[in-house]
Amino acid sequence: MPVTAFEARTRQFDRAPIGARGYHEPAVDAFLERVAATLDGDDDLSVSDVHNVAFAKAPLSKRGYDPTAVDAFLRDVEGTLAGLSRSADYYIAPALEHTHTRKPLWRRR
């Protein structure tokens, strides 16, 4: 089912489970505002932009948005934008590979 600009602006997400840090809420909200503007024709996010977005984790004292719910909604957004796109240069990842968590910049070796 296609996502509308109204849905992108008013979408509410559950909090991450207790003991887990979800996505940083202001970052998700700002991105969804860009999604809504794109659906209104006032911005130009692509399917690739939505697919590749990465959100920081919520601060330690906050739970943030449930990543599973946000990722599911963004998959719907990708499908909507893909349907609006007239080009075939997009790729929608399978659900199991889809995450918008920012990868750490460093790793222990």
Side-chain angles (χ1 to χ4, degrees):
M1 185 163 151
V3 175
T4 65
F6 178 77
E7 288 174 304
R9 283 191 180 95
T10 60
R11 183 63 187 236
Q12 302 271 322
F13 297 104
D14 291 334
R15 300 284 180 249
I18 294 175
R21 286 173 55 203
Y23 293 149
H24 191 239
E25 294 173 18
V28 173
D29 292 341
F31 189 76
L32 290 181
E33 183 55 40
R34 285 200 63 202
V35 168
T38 297
L39 294 172
D40 283 339
D42 298 328
D43 202 338
D44 61 350
L45 284 177
S46 68
V47 174
S48 179
D49 293 333
V50 174
H51 181 76
N52 293 320
V53 68
F55 302 113
K57 295 278 189 183
L60 287 175
S61 62
K62 306 285 185 180
R63 286 172 40 198
Y65 288 143
D66 179 14
T68 304
V70 174
D71 290 345
F73 185 71
L74 291 178
R75 278 193 300 277
D76 291 343
V77 170
E78 288 179 27
T80 298
L81 292 178
L84 297 175
S85 174
R86 301 221 186 278
S87 65
D89 61 349
Y90 55 84
Y91 168 75
I92 299 177
L96 294 177
E97 299 177 78
H98 201 285
T99 181
H100 292 92
T101 302
R102 181 174 292 151
K103 304 295 186 245
L105 297 176
W106 53 271
R107 294 178 188 254
R108 289 186 179 179
R109 293 181 192 243

